[in-house]
Amino acid sequence: MTFVIKFETDIKTEVGGAFEVVVDPADAPIGAARLKELVEDGFFDDGAFFRVVPGFVVQFGIAADPMLNDGWEALKDEPRKLSNTEGTLCFASSGENTRTTQLFFNTECNSSKLDDKGFTPIGTIKNLEDGLEILRACTNPTPDDKSGIDQQDYETKGNEWLLDEHPEVNMITRAYIC
């Protein structure tokens, strides 16, 4: 059954800082189930948008508490039913069957770059224009490095390290099922 996730952020725009994502498990059942589990566990709460590539993606999915990052089994890839258009949400991966907890929003249409590389969208921003305005206002913590912050340090040291090294980073304050 389709569900909606509300992402509340510390990003300030004219439309506010919260947006919703619609997830239809029929589009990607394995990914949708993992996303729902992560949200229900509070995994994304107080987590950072740690990789911002303007005109491409905004990535998140490392927990603020390093203890929560361990133990997530990699997911099997699944057939892509949606295209990587602007406003879609996908699991990040480092190759075949490597999806765990990191996700990204496509802030532009990336179908020509990502559709043939195994990136399966699992949801879409509900109010596209407002959601994209919020994500496009996200501060890029590493403007000279498209790979974002040091993910290994963030995974093992958490928000204490992150906020000391990158105080300008934007956060998901809370994510929950509506």
Side-chain angles (χ1 to χ4, degrees):
M1 176 171 279
T2 299
F3 59 95
V4 177
I5 301 168
K6 185 163 194 169
F7 286 89
E8 296 177 352
T9 75
D10 66 356
I11 302 168
K12 305 296 182 218
T13 69
E14 289 187 20
V15 297
F19 59 94
E20 295 178 344
V21 174
V22 178
V23 179
D24 183 349
D27 293 330
I30 297 168
R34 170 63 59 87
L35 177 60
K36 189 172 188 180
E37 179 183 9
L38 290 165
V39 170
E40 290 175 339
D41 286 352
F43 185 88
F44 301 123
D45 295 355
D46 298 318
F49 291 110
F50 60 83
R51 180 174 174 242
V52 178
V53 183
F56 187 48
V57 298
V58 173
Q59 189 168 338
F60 66 101
I62 296 175
D65 178 354
M67 301 293 287
L68 299 177
N69 290 313
D70 292 332
W72 293 97
E73 189 174 314
L75 301 176
K76 291 186 180 206
D77 292 340
E78 51 197 322
R80 183 183 50 76
K81 294 182 180 176
L82 301 174
S83 187
N84 283 276
T85 56
E86 64 180 359
T88 53
L89 175 64
C90 294
F91 273 94
S93 70
S94 58
E96 191 174 318
N97 300 315
T98 60
R99 302 178 301 160
T100 56
T101 63
Q102 294 187 30
L103 297 105
F104 62 87
F105 286 102
N106 286 297
T107 57
E108 303 295 332
C109 182
N110 293 318
S111 57
S112 64
K113 298 174 189 171
L114 300 176
D115 281 359
D116 293 336
K117 294 187 174 147
F119 292 100
T120 302
I122 60 169
T124 306
I125 296 173
K126 187 175 180 180
N127 185 335
L128 186 60
E129 287 184 28
D130 289 352
L132 287 173
E133 180 177 329
I134 293 165
L135 289 169
R136 289 175 180 152
C138 192
T139 300
N140 184 352
T142 58
D144 298 325
D145 184 355
K146 289 183 179 180
S147 61
I149 65 153
D150 186 318
Q151 294 177 31
Q152 185 67 33
D153 278 344
Y154 185 28
E155 283 183 14
T156 58
K157 299 175 184 175
N159 273 8
E160 185 175 333
W161 170 84
L162 177 71
L163 295 173
D164 188 47
E165 293 292 318
H166 301 281
E168 72 287 356
V169 72
N170 285 115
M171 311 293 276
I172 296 168
T173 55
R174 184 172 170 225
Y176 56 93
I177 309 290
C178 296

